[in-house]
Amino acid sequence: MKKVKADPKGVLSGSHYLDGDYAIAEGGLAAGCRFFAGYPITPSTETAERFSERIPSVGGVFIQMEDELASIAALIGAVWGGKKSMTVTSGPGFSLMMENIGLACMMETPLVIANVQRGGPSTGLPTLTGQQDMMQVRWGSHGDYKIIALSPDSPQECFDLTIEAFNLSEIYRVPTFVMTDECVGHMHEKVVIPPAEEIELVERKWYTGPKDQYLPYKNDKDMIPFMIKIGDGYRFHTTGLTHDERGYPVINAECQDVCVRHLNDKITMNADKIIRLEEDEIDNAEIIVISYGITSRVTTRAVRQARKAGIKVGTIRLITVWPFPEKRINELAKKVKAFVVPEINYGQMVLEVERCAAGQTPTVHVPHCGGWVHDPDDILKAIKEAAK
Amino acid sequence: MVHFGNLKPKKGKIHIEKDMCKGCAFCVEYCPKDVLELSEEFNVKGYHPPVVIKEDDCLYCQLCETICPEFAIFVTLKEEEEEGEKGESRP
Amino acid sequence: MKKDNPTKKQNPITDLLRMDRIPHIWCPGCGIGTVLTSFAEALRKSEIDLDKVAVLSGIGCTGRVAGYVKMDSIHTTHGRAVPVATGVKLANPEMKVVVFSGDGDISGIGGNHFIHAARRNMDIMIICVNNFNYAMTGGQVAATTPKGANASTAPYGNFEYSFNLPYLAEASGATYVARWTALHLRRVTKSIQEALGKRGFSFIEVITPCVTLYARRNRLGDGLNLLKYYHEKSEIQHGADTRTVDISYQGKLIVGKFVDIDKPTFLDCMNEHLGKVLGDKYQPYGVNND
Ligand SMILES: Cc1ncc(C[n+]2csc(CCOP(=O)(O)OP(=O)(O)O)c2C)c(N)n1
Ligand code: SF4
Ligand code: SF4
Ligand code: SF4
Ligand SMILES: [Mg+2]
């Protein structure tokens, strides 16, 4: 893995007062994103607007496409053309992107998609928050594949995690998602952008061997194949069909087995390296509240009150949502009385918690159908209930 | 036929990759000089590939080469082979 | 790969094709291979640096072209080759970007991308193999199926109006528009060569026999019959008003070069406009920074 310093051209160093959407755009620019294709959709549009304003003086392209199918398609083309690329969207647009997210996974194309979630289904609540695409991001395209998804809880983290998303996408050659929501996207807070030389970026895994020996899908020791870019004379082929090391289609069960296992295993086997959690007072906890994104901030208040009431509550904030921290949850399930999982949906990540708890401890869900964040009292009530 | 200047009529040598052919007869049908004919023989895929019946009549027009959907037939310039580099370049 | 004796002459097209993937999947008598040969011939004649040509396609029989050319090539999803090509071009403006596409791919599922790329005058070339149906999935009715023709999902005949693709392309902003039949070998080659030499959105429609499905279902004979039939029915009218070139079932096929104009491309417009508005702050894109 080759690390490089950020190009100062894209880095707006200093202390700013930004909303989450803008911070995502700044994170992208700092990470070296020089191609942005998007389609307006509330509450994500500000990211696209910021890109359109900033990228001309950084040396890149912004293009507003005809729809989200085109946005993700253009990203794939631009990445194979050699650029770091990203887009941003919300529910309906995210749904439209699904087919080509699968293509990006199949072709092992590193790119970043931010989803500023709103309430669904369908047009739902365009201007109000939700965390209802957490399963879609994992399973939304057809077939078996794995992606990486991060969930920021503040504008500062929108900036930081967008950079991290680019780094992870390049390391594992996989679409990586910044799963934020309307609240964080539209929340204004202080965002500190460090000097370029303090921002560490992962360079694309460029192939440098002899041209005639390049195989686009031959795994390196770390399971990740080398990449090249269009126009460098490799005359390579890539396809959404099940393919061999040469990138040539092979339509049979054996090749499918190798191909699909690889797409999944490269994430599963590196999960420990990818996963980031923020744990608090876990050691003696009898209850652990697991949350992510904006809900973690609401949870903080409920937890403070629960502790005041004498309940031993620990918290886990999922910074990485996918891959899910299976091992850690399973391990903790042996020790605690219950998990409490508040999230702004009718039951998504809680299913993972339940799966990993594997019957060792109960899991209490605190649903919210979207439109606003939880009332901390509801979370508190659930904690108290679980502690009984 | 009228030949301008010192341009001699060109002669072609036809190369057929029999086993690549799928016997569609495009080449046979569109050869302006009826140089080709589908053979009785079967290739490995079970199709009748063309055979050259009148190579001397071949004009080196390369129509057969361009029309063949299987890239199974192509033509080279005869002089080129017989007289080395003196032959004209491809049209 | 064929173990040919090294002194044996090689078909010159082998330099442009992935011979380790030939034979291709197309049916005997299918015209797609012929169009591919014309494309290869055009590339050879134009002496373009093949390292700087990218070929993209969507899904379909025609969509398989990207897998056979020995150039940078991406086999994308159904209908999405044009926006992927847009990304390739914008990331790497020195590339000649060619989309090889079926009629269903370009004008059905991908219709929106097609008109928008034309509107922007994106510098890409589209070669559309129009076989009047969705061939790969078994001959279903398409946006190009002429009224009255039969298709597997129009078993009583198609009663919908069909697209006139050259008109659609021109109206959307294409700078080069031509239509030929697959049998117009030299003309297809010449059109592709011309489009390769141009900057801007170019669209070349090639009416091509689908022997196995369209021809059989409509009892139009084999590939040979159909190739000949399309050719005979065609009438060359260069510069024809594209409004008049729609195709009716078994009717006349107006072919020729309909549009050949010059206007600034997407990137030209972007660089010019942003340069003017932003002055020194603007970093001209794709000019020297690549
Ligand atoms: C999203 C999606 N819908 C449907 C299909 C199935 N499909 C594959 S090829 C094809 C039609 C192709 O028709 P056309 O573009 O005209 O190409 P042809 O096979 O005729 O060359 C369809 C509908 C698909 N692959 N993807
Ligand atoms: S080159 Fe022309 S004349 Fe010669 S065999 Fe081919 S089609 Fe016939
Ligand atoms: S055109 Fe090609 S495939 Fe068809 S008969 Fe001739 S050599 Fe065979
Ligand atoms: S189905 Fe039709 S278009 Fe497809 S390969 Fe066969 S003849 Fe060609
Ligand atoms: Mg078709």
Side-chain angles (χ1 to χ4, degrees):
Chain A
M1 184 193 323
K2 191 172 161 210
K3 294 206 170 152
V4 293
K5 300 283 171 235
D7 172 4
K9 249 191 302 178
V11 185
L12 201 66
S13 303
S15 187
H16 308 270
Y17 188 60
L18 297 177
D19 73 5
D21 283 3
Y22 278 3
I24 289 171
E26 290 304 332
L29 289 166
C33 173
R34 295 297 179 264
F35 182 84
F36 185 102
Y39 190 83
I41 185 164
T42 307
S44 74
T45 310
E46 291 86 339
T47 306
E49 288 171 345
R50 180 88 173 189
F51 251 99
S52 69
E53 191 191 325
R54 290 261 292 129
I55 214 166
S57 43
V58 173
V61 179
F62 168 88
I63 183 168
Q64 183 170 312
M65 296 302 289
E66 50 275 18
D67 54 30
E68 289 85 349
L69 298 106
S71 305
I72 168 81
L75 251 54
I76 293 171
V79 171
W80 284 100
K83 296 283 184 236
K84 284 187 167 182
S85 311
M86 76 175 289
T87 187
V88 67
T89 190
S90 190
F94 201 49
S95 292
L96 285 188
M97 287 182 186
M98 284 303 145
E99 187 192 13
N100 279 332
I101 287 173
L103 179 67
C105 289
M106 192 61 147
M107 301 199 314
E108 301 191 57
T109 309
L111 48 83
V112 171
I113 300 173
N115 180 350
V116 187
Q117 296 170 88
R118 60 194 234 181
S122 190
T123 314
L125 302 171
T127 56
L128 300 178
T129 199
Q131 294 182 316
Q132 299 172 329
D133 308 341
M134 302 309 295
M135 281 290 169
Q136 186 184 21
V137 68
R138 168 68 184 84
W139 303 101
S141 197
H142 55 284
D144 286 316
Y145 62 94
K146 282 202 168 104
I147 48 80
I148 298 174
L150 312 174
S151 175
D153 74 345
S154 66
Q156 179 68 51
E157 242 188 22
C158 284
F159 175 84
D160 297 338
L161 293 189
T162 303
I163 295 176
E164 180 155 339
F166 268 102
N167 286 346
L168 291 168
S169 80
E170 295 292 348
I171 298 172
Y172 299 106
R173 285 189 56 181
V174 71
T176 301
F177 298 81
V178 178
M179 296 298 287
T180 184
D181 67 282
E182 188 275 335
C183 273
V184 176
H186 285 163
M187 168 193 298
H188 281 78
E189 279 184 352
K190 186 169 133 182
V191 175
V192 179
I193 300 183
E197 65 271 18
E198 288 172 22
I199 299 176
E200 208 164 65
L201 301 179
V202 175
E203 174 121 313
R204 188 157 295 168
K205 194 171 175 187
W206 298 116
Y207 173 79
T208 49
K211 275 197 181 166
D212 54 345
Q213 281 168 35
Y214 178 63
L215 291 167
Y217 293 100
K218 185 175 164 53
N219 293 345
D220 189 21
K221 291 182 288 287
D222 64 357
M223 302 179 76
I224 312 300
F226 285 97
M227 232 178 139
I228 45 81
K229 74 176 167 67
I230 280 179
D232 280 354
Y234 290 94
R235 305 202 191 172
F236 75 104
H237 180 65
T238 182
T239 174
L241 288 166
T242 297
H243 48 261
D244 62 14
E245 289 182 338
R246 297 169 299 176
Y248 289 3
V250 179
I251 309 303
N252 63 38
E254 291 75 41
C255 189
Q256 170 79 351
D257 190 70
V258 175
C259 200
V260 171
R261 275 176 199 276
H262 168 69
L263 296 181
N264 287 275
D265 291 354
K266 70 175 181 180
I267 304 299
T268 312
M269 300 212 188
N270 289 302
D272 289 345
K273 284 188 232 159
I274 300 168
I275 292 169
R276 271 180 58 197
L277 304 174
E278 200 174 80
E279 297 185 349
D280 184 44
E281 294 191 29
I282 291 293
D283 287 347
N284 299 311
E286 18 168 21
I287 304 293
I288 294 180
V289 184
I290 301 171
S291 62
Y292 54 91
I294 187 65
T295 307
S296 303
R297 292 176 70 152
V298 181
T299 297
T300 308
R301 187 167 149 176
V303 167
R304 216 183 297 135
Q305 282 168 348
R307 285 175 186 161
K308 254 189 233 163
I311 306 172
K312 287 186 187 140
V313 191
T315 58
I316 293 181
R317 181 166 76 90
L318 307 175
I319 298 172
T320 313
V321 188
W322 299 110
F324 191 75
E326 299 174 336
K327 272 192 246 162
R328 184 65 179 146
I329 302 297
N330 187 274
E331 190 178 284
L332 291 171
K334 298 182 181 39
K335 301 181 187 160
V336 299
K337 209 160 157 190
F339 290 124
V340 174
V341 186
E343 47 181 348
I344 310 175
N345 58 50
Y346 209 49
Q348 297 197 10
M349 296 312 292
V350 67
L351 299 173
E352 278 296 286
V353 176
E354 233 168 4
R355 178 178 71 82
C356 299
Q360 304 175 94
T361 193
T363 302
V364 180
H365 189 229
V366 191
H368 189 308
C369 291
W372 193 227
V373 294
H374 288 78
D375 180 342
D377 285 348
D378 292 341
I379 302 174
L380 180 63
K381 224 189 302 169
I383 295 172
K384 285 182 171 165
E385 201 67 27
K388 270 188 197 156
Chain B
M1 199 192 277
V2 186
H3 304 304
F4 294 99
N6 56 4
L7 282 182
K8 272 191 301 177
K10 293 174 195 158
K11 293 268 169 230
K13 176 161 172 50
I14 300 133
H15 309 262
I16 299 169
E17 292 280 357
K18 279 189 210 167
D19 289 340
M20 289 171 72
C21 168
K22 289 187 192 162
C24 67
F26 287 4
C27 57
V28 175
E29 181 69 22
Y30 287 103
C31 168
K33 302 298 276 182
D34 296 327
V35 173
L36 305 163
E37 192 179 270
L38 283 193
S39 63
E40 296 288 306
E41 128 189 48
F42 288 101
N43 69 7
V44 289
K45 292 189 229 155
Y47 297 111
H48 298 292
V51 281
V52 178
I53 47 170
K54 297 188 281 186
E55 181 155 88
D56 284 351
D57 287 3
C58 172
L59 297 168
Y60 186 58
C61 71
Q62 289 172 296
L63 206 94
C64 51
E65 179 176 331
T66 318
I67 205 168
C68 174
E70 305 296 329
F71 328 113
I73 184 167
F74 65 102
V75 195
T76 49
L77 192 61
K78 221 168 195 169
E79 280 97 333
E80 196 180 72
E81 270 151 40
E82 284 156 10
E83 303 163 23
E85 285 307 294
K86 266 191 278 165
E88 281 176 66
S89 64
R90 303 163 66 83
Chain C
M1 188 89 84
K2 273 199 142 48
K3 277 176 241 70
D4 279 338
N5 125 30
T7 56
K8 195 174 152 197
K9 287 254 174 203
Q10 282 267 313
N11 186 337
I13 200 170
T14 57
D15 293 342
L16 292 106
L17 297 182
R18 299 185 191 277
M19 293 311 287
D20 47 352
R21 295 214 54 219
I22 304 293
H24 51 60
I25 61 156
W26 300 312
C27 309
C30 172
I32 299 173
T34 304
V35 183
L36 179 52
T37 313
S38 299
F39 172 59
E41 185 71 14
L43 286 172
R44 214 163 35 217
K45 284 190 174 156
S46 63
E47 289 174 359
I48 196 165
D49 177 1
L50 296 179
D51 285 350
K52 300 297 171 198
V53 180
V55 179
L56 293 92
S57 46
I59 305 294
C61 294
T62 312
R64 289 303 185 103
V65 166
Y68 297 128
V69 292
K70 207 195 285 172
M71 279 161 265
D72 286 338
S73 52
I74 308 185
H75 184 211
T76 70
T77 42
H78 193 26
R80 316 299 165 206
V82 168
V84 178
T86 295
V88 169
K89 180 69 195 181
L90 295 182
N92 213 333
E94 57 174 2
M95 297 304 291
K96 265 283 158 204
V97 181
V98 180
V99 171
F100 235 103
S101 173
D103 49 311
D105 220 26
I106 205 78
S107 73
I109 192 165
N112 198 29
H113 308 310
F114 174 60
I115 58 175
H116 282 276
R119 171 182 65 78
R120 299 184 179 107
N121 197 21
M122 198 52 69
D123 184 15
I124 59 179
M125 184 206 308
I126 315 261
I127 300 169
C128 171
V129 170
N130 184 356
N131 51 20
F132 301 126
N133 74 149
Y134 284 146
M136 174 146 274
T137 38
Q140 292 79 23
V141 70
T144 46
T145 310
K147 249 181 128 166
N150 225 273
S152 75
T153 47
Y156 309 113
N158 174 35
F159 50 81
E160 285 188 35
Y161 301 105
S162 60
F163 264 139
N164 167 350
L165 295 180
Y167 180 35
L168 183 64
E170 183 181 15
S172 305
T175 53
Y176 186 96
V177 180
R179 174 197 279 157
W180 301 107
T181 78
L183 191 54
H184 291 97
L185 307 164
R186 306 276 193 250
R187 300 193 189 256
V188 174
T189 301
K190 181 153 176 265
S191 269
I192 296 173
Q193 248 182 296
E194 282 178 1
L196 282 170
K198 269 183 84 81
R199 300 173 71 250
F201 187 90
S202 44
F203 176 72
I204 300 164
E205 178 185 12
V206 188
I207 310 287
T208 306
C210 166
V211 273
T212 309
L213 300 160
Y214 187 76
R216 188 171 297 167
R217 185 169 280 275
N218 288 287
R219 301 202 168 75
L220 302 173
D222 60 12
L224 200 54
N225 299 139
L226 204 56
L227 202 62
K228 209 180 306 182
Y229 180 79
Y230 287 157
H231 193 254
E232 276 164 10
K233 283 274 178 186
S234 65
E235 187 178 306
I236 299 178
Q237 286 184 25
H238 288 302
D241 182 339
T242 54
R243 281 174 299 185
T244 66
V245 305
D246 52 327
I247 295 172
S248 61
Y249 184 54
Q250 303 303 80
K252 195 161 68 176
L253 292 167
I254 313 258
V255 297
K257 178 166 84 177
F258 303 136
V259 179
D260 189 355
I261 58 167
D262 286 307
K263 71 179 182 192
T265 64
F266 174 90
L267 278 179
D268 295 340
C269 295
M270 180 178 104
N271 278 328
E272 215 232 53
H273 181 79
L274 294 177
K276 207 154 56 188
V277 177
L278 296 173
D280 288 346
K281 257 174 64 189
Y282 183 60
Q283 301 244 326
Y285 183 80
V287 183
N288 275 325
N289 67 347
D290 246 289

